[in-house]
Amino acid sequence: MDEKTGIQAIERFSQPAPESKGGYKRIEYEYIRHGTTTLIAANNVENGQWINYHLGPTRDEADLLATHQQNRRWITRNGSDCDSG
């Protein structure tokens, strides 16, 4: 399981700039901020598939606990070799 907090939700401010005289495409770096979001995710390391994720505005104890509980239900249903150590 991993968590990424403070992911910025941004939008480019303008359309791509016209090409310069030398034919190079210019990129404008101005953007509009739309706040932040948090991703808590778990994936199966054997096959890379998602087990569960939570995407929301907060990362508090309730979010983490709910994600852990959903992960535990998935492991119970699907089995796991991680407990056979």
Side-chain angles (χ1 to χ4, degrees), residues 1 3 8 11 13 26-27 30 35 37 40 42 44 49-50 52 54 63 65 70 72-73 76 79 84-85:
M1 192 164 100
E3 55 185 300
Q8 291 187 23
E11 173 185 5
F13 184 68
R26 298 184 324 186
I27 299 173
E30 295 182 26
T37 189
I40 304 171
N44 186 336
Q49 293 186 355
W50 292 96
N52 181 32
H54 168 79
D63 298 331
L65 178 61
Q70 290 173 348
R72 189 169 188 86
R73 284 193 293 273
T76 302
S84 61

Side-chain angles (χ1 to χ4, degrees), residues 5-65:
T5 59
I7 300 170
Q8 291 187 23
I10 61 173
E11 173 185 5
R12 292 280 175 215
F13 184 68
S14 62
Q15 299 297 325
E19 290 185 5
S20 65
K21 291 180 183 179
Y24 296 103
K25 185 176 181 181
R26 298 184 324 186
I27 299 173
E28 297 290 339
Y29 292 99
E30 295 182 26
Y31 57 87
I32 301 168
R33 292 187 64 162
H34 293 289
T36 59
T37 189
T38 298
L39 171 65
I40 304 171
N43 71 313
N44 186 336
V45 295
E46 293 176 347
N47 59 22
Q49 293 186 355
W50 292 96
I51 292 173
N52 181 32
Y53 70 92
H54 168 79
L55 186 64
T58 62
R59 186 204 58 85
D60 57 17
E61 293 84 9
D63 298 331
L64 200 55
L65 178 61

Side-chain angles (χ1 to χ4, degrees), residues 65-78:
L65 178 61
T67 305
H68 275 292
Q69 290 171 338
Q70 290 173 348
N71 294 344
R72 189 169 188 86
R73 284 193 293 273
W74 184 90
I75 291 169
T76 302
R77 280 193 317 268
N78 298 293

